[in-house]
Amino acid sequence: MTGINGQVARLLQELADLTKLEDGSPQSFRVRAYEKAVGAVNEMPADVASMSVAELVAVDGIGKSTATKIREYVDTGSIAKLEGLRASYPPELVELTRIPGLGPKTVILLRDQLGVGSVDQLRAAIESHQLRDLPGLGARSEEKIARSIERLGLAGKQRRTPIIEALPVANELVATLGAMPQVRRIEYCGSLRRFRETIGDIDILVASNDPEPIMDAFVSLPMVREVLGHGTTKSAIVVSGGLQVDLRVVAPAQFGAAVLYFTGSVAHNVELRQRAIDRGWTLNEYALSDAETEEIVASRTEKSIYAALDLREIPPELREGHGEIEAAATGTLPRLVTEGDIRGDLHVHSTWSGDGRSDLLAMLEAAAARGLDYVGITEHGEDLAINGLSRDEVHRQRALIDEYRARFPDMVILHGAELNIGPDGGLDYDDDFLMEYDWCVASVHSQFELSAARQTERLIRAMEHPAVNAIGHLTGRMIGRRPGIDIDAEAVFAAAASTGTALEINCHLDRLDIPADLLRRARTVERIRFVISTDSHHTREFGNLRWGVRNARRGWVEKRQVVNTWPAERFLKWAADKRTR
Ligand code: DGT
Ligand code: CA
Ligand code: CA
Ligand code: ZN
């Protein structure tokens, strides 16, 4: 989302996150009030800027205190309460709450008892065994926390931000600055444009002949927490959460060369530059030009530069120096899947699941509105506490879906389930019951700590079940928060191919699971199949499809390998085949 509502929603989320620390609880009354308000603002059609406090309070989910703060932000550009919280809880401290096992109470305890204010300080405290004597902790939690830090890659100098946090910031900046009359073109570049799952910093590039007002506006935006540099063509800021944003302005004629350079990666750039040198040219952020005459060969668009170097245009997601330049030179780039190729969504929840947010009919209508040819309704299986469906509920939902089918003549509705893979690969319900479904996803929702051998075994056993069509969110990781399960990936891929089980590419921006580096290995396995599914719990989440597709592209996944790009007939036959073979 962009515009003022997007800004307000992000600030309210930040208020919620910092209030967790202030209240020492992720569930306090105030935290829940802010989080409810985030949802309300996200769903509000009207601009919050045009609403009075009374009108805001009238919105379901917004209370008096939150309404006042929204108004304060609209009128003054900041919220005093938030500024105070930011001063008390710096980003390095907030980052600690991402580590599994470290709730807000513990983080404050570490700060107050041990003076720990960052991941590095926490590691030092762990090394000198200072955690084990604190109330509520112990040797075991000390080890567990140490392992989490290691596996999440939080150690070391450079802090990286999960893409789900960086992307809204970049979108907001592009929308705000892009509205200025001096801005001719604007694009975010760097790792974000390449769709890496974590972002070091955001790189924004503008084409303009009048850079100064753009720079002035940039360094005085409300989201700015610190100005690192303020020049005429290059500035840098730090925004809430400690994320750095670099802004560069170039002349419109140089925009293509600059976007290419700042999109990177460094490895891709180095290889491209070598290709230019081989032709007697130079390539830099301004242009591709003749090394001797300095005459410009190409600079306006990325495509023209690739073309001059005898290359097909390489999608940003592939620009990592993984052989994409050679593939572009020889015409062997993968035929990457696109969002428009997707014809079905095979992982969808409704309020029948405990964690579903939109009712079944609303979800079906939203799926139909997106023009899907087929959709799989996959509520949680009974083994998932609270959220799962009993057998009776499954039968009642099946009857309801039978009734609904007539309303959606252009969309095939599959009645499915998201089953839970037990520690030994067992599934919910029983075999006969499972064979009544049209489609089943099976996912790991528990026991994330088992050994690689046991995780691999349980996944393979689940895939061997004839009712299981796909494995949901393969590793279970939450980017920057929860490491994925350990698996023998090659064994899992081989079993997926031989059993005719698709591997889901889950579209949630905080999951992007299967991770792209694993996808690049999986895609080379013969007869491997993928399914790109949103795992929607709310009508709004169908829009996440684009993230799953971009992640698949980053993994070099081709359209032909993705079963939900297939026409309904072929897809349905493939899905039914596993049950009968
Ligand atoms: P990040 O920020 O760590 O997530 O990753 P990037 O790729 O966004 O890296 P960043 O922000 O340091 O630089 C943006 C792009 O600028 C990078 O992808 C390629 C280009 N670039 C930066 N430094 C160099 C360099 O030393 N040589 C070349 N050829 N390109 C560079
Ligand atoms: Ca960057
Ligand atoms: Ca940068
Ligand atoms: Zn699900």
Side-chain angles (χ1 to χ4, degrees):
M1 189 183 332
T2 54
I4 187 84
N5 287 26
Q7 292 169 31
V8 166
R10 285 206 313 109
L11 292 174
L12 293 175
Q13 186 60 55
E14 193 182 349
L15 270 168
D17 291 341
L18 296 179
T19 303
K20 288 175 192 172
L21 288 164
E22 190 178 42
D23 289 357
S25 156
Q27 288 284 3
S28 74
F29 174 77
R30 291 192 303 165
V31 170
R32 279 183 293 140
Y34 287 135
E35 289 189 332
K36 238 176 154 174
V38 172
V41 170
N42 273 329
E43 268 161 62
M44 210 149 70
D47 220 40
V48 289
S50 66
M51 296 170 76
S52 67
V53 169
E55 284 167 326
L56 286 166
V57 171
V59 175
D60 198 20
I62 300 183
K64 179 75 193 293
S65 151
T66 307
T68 313
K69 290 187 180 65
I70 294 175
R71 204 53 239 174
E72 182 187 351
Y73 175 69
V74 172
D75 293 338
T76 69
S78 68
I79 302 170
K81 175 73 198 174
L82 179 58
E83 296 303 326
L85 287 170
R86 284 173 172 178
S88 313
Y89 307 105
E92 295 76 21
L93 183 78
V94 177
E95 192 187 16
L96 294 176
T97 60
R98 283 207 194 121
I99 300 169
L102 283 190
K105 232 194 196 115
T106 315
V107 169
I108 295 306
L109 183 77
L110 291 171
R111 182 192 67 176
D112 295 346
Q113 299 290 316
L114 304 177
V116 164
S118 69
V119 174
D120 285 339
Q121 288 168 2
L122 177 60
R123 288 174 75 216
I126 290 172
E127 263 160 44
S128 51
H129 297 305
Q130 293 180 60
L131 261 61
R132 50 184 65 185
D133 300 329
L134 290 180
L137 292 167
R140 270 199 59 179
S141 10
E142 191 176 83
E143 275 162 34
K144 197 170 163 224
I145 292 167
R147 218 155 63 89
S148 296
I149 294 174
E150 229 40 65
R151 293 180 66 199
L152 285 170
L154 294 177
K157 52 243 157 303
Q158 208 205 4
R159 246 155 40 83
R160 301 191 63 83
T161 302
I163 190 168
I164 195 170
E165 290 169 33
L167 192 63
V169 175
N171 281 332
E172 190 179 319
L173 284 164
V174 166
T176 309
L177 298 175
M180 294 182 72
Q182 296 85 358
V183 173
R184 300 264 291 270
R185 302 279 306 278
I186 182 164
E187 186 106 55
Y188 59 74
C189 302
S191 51
L192 189 59
R193 184 158 178 255
R194 302 197 310 278
F195 210 67
R196 269 192 75 167
E197 61 201 38
T198 62
I199 306 302
D201 69 359
I202 297 176
D203 303 279
I204 297 196
L205 198 65
V206 165
S208 173
N209 293 313
D210 187 8
E212 259 173 81
I214 304 168
M215 288 297 167
D216 294 344
F218 177 65
V219 298
S220 43
L221 288 169
M223 68 164 73
V224 175
R225 289 191 67 174
E226 195 187 339
V227 177
L228 299 175
H230 180 183
T232 46
T233 60
K234 182 176 182 311
S235 295
I237 58 171
V238 175
V239 302
S240 56
L243 181 60
Q244 182 178 330
V245 185
D246 292 345
L247 174 69
R248 291 180 189 80
V249 182
V250 299
Q254 300 167 337
F255 194 64
V259 167
L260 182 62
Y261 181 87
F262 290 111
T263 296
S265 62
V266 174
H268 183 83
N269 286 354
V270 166
E271 240 184 287
L272 269 189
R273 196 192 301 138
Q274 188 55 50
R275 220 176 147 81
I277 291 168
D278 293 346
R279 286 163 171 72
W281 295 335
T282 59
L283 176 62
N284 56 29
E285 59 263 57
Y286 308 110
L288 176 67
S289 36
D290 191 291
E292 263 168 39
T293 65
E294 289 178 22
E295 204 173 308
I296 289 175
V297 178
S299 69
R300 276 192 177 271
T301 64
E302 291 184 310
K303 193 173 178 172
S304 68
I305 297 170
Y306 281 117
L309 295 169
D310 300 314
L311 297 170
R312 299 268 180 81
E313 187 170 11
I314 301 176
E317 298 93 331
L318 295 187
R319 300 183 195 169
E320 294 289 350
H322 290 318
E324 68 279 6
I325 291 179
E326 200 195 327
T330 53
T332 53
L333 279 174
R335 286 169 192 265
L336 297 181
V337 58
T338 67
E339 200 184 341
D341 293 333
I342 302 296
R343 298 172 186 242
D345 194 336
L346 284 306
H347 187 161
V348 174
H349 298 269
S350 75
T351 46
W352 281 80
S353 291
D355 55 0
R357 309 254 318 278
S358 303
D359 72 29
L360 179 58
L361 192 54
M363 293 304 279
L364 290 171
E365 277 164 354
R370 295 184 65 86
L372 295 183
D373 295 339
Y374 42 96
V375 64
I377 299 298
T378 54
E379 311 292 2
H380 289 293
E382 65 179 353
D383 293 351
L384 195 65
I386 306 163
N387 291 329
L389 268 62
S390 69
R391 291 165 197 239
D392 182 51
E393 285 170 316
V394 171
H395 281 135
R396 280 194 286 128
Q397 188 186 50
R398 186 164 301 152
L400 188 61
I401 284 178
D402 276 339
E403 207 179 298
Y404 284 159
R405 284 199 170 106
R407 300 202 204 187
F408 301 96
D410 298 329
M411 184 171 74
V412 178
I413 306 173
L414 290 87
H415 187 224
E418 180 180 16
L419 305 170
N420 302 287
I421 304 178
D424 297 311
L427 301 164
D428 316 61
Y429 311 111
D430 59 61
D431 288 354
D432 290 343
F433 194 87
L434 294 181
M435 295 305 276
E436 291 173 13
Y437 286 107
D438 303 321
W439 167 265
C440 291
V441 179
S443 315
V444 167
H445 285 128
S446 64
Q447 311 261 13
F448 295 98
E449 303 289 332
L450 298 179
S451 69
R454 286 201 60 195
Q455 300 287 22
T456 304
E457 232 176 80
R458 82 196 275 213
L459 286 169
I460 291 176
R461 200 175 143 219
M463 289 192 278
E464 283 167 348
H465 197 288
V468 172
N469 299 106
I471 298 296
H473 43 71
L474 182 68
T475 75
R477 63 102 173 248
M478 302 294 283
I479 298 169
R481 287 177 184 274
R482 184 170 79 200
I485 59 174
D486 286 328
I487 55 170
D488 175 349
E490 266 61 39
V492 169
F493 301 155
S498 69
T499 58
T501 312
L503 296 177
E504 177 185 278
I505 298 172
N506 190 287
C507 295
H508 280 287
L509 198 51
D510 52 357
R511 288 186 181 270
L512 298 177
D513 190 8
I514 305 168
D517 53 346
L518 278 185
L519 280 175
R520 274 196 298 118
R521 287 154 60 185
R523 50 97 53 181
T524 61
V525 173
E526 202 162 341
R527 296 173 60 83
I528 195 88
R529 300 288 183 227
F530 302 103
V531 57
I532 304 179
S533 300
T534 63
D535 191 5
S536 289
H537 289 68
H538 187 287
T539 52
R540 204 175 42 230
E541 294 175 2
F542 284 108
N544 288 335
L545 178 65
R546 59 186 184 278
W547 311 135
V549 169
R550 291 204 60 190
N551 187 50
R553 293 167 63 84
R554 216 177 134 70
W556 291 57
V557 170
E558 304 204 54
K559 176 185 173 186
R560 65 181 173 84
Q561 299 178 304
V562 180
V563 295
N564 54 330
T565 64
W566 297 350
E569 203 181 330
R570 180 175 176 205
F571 169 79
L572 294 169
K573 183 176 178 314
W574 169 83
D577 266 1
K578 189 173 175 191
R579 286 177 169 65
T580 52
R581 71 184 194 172

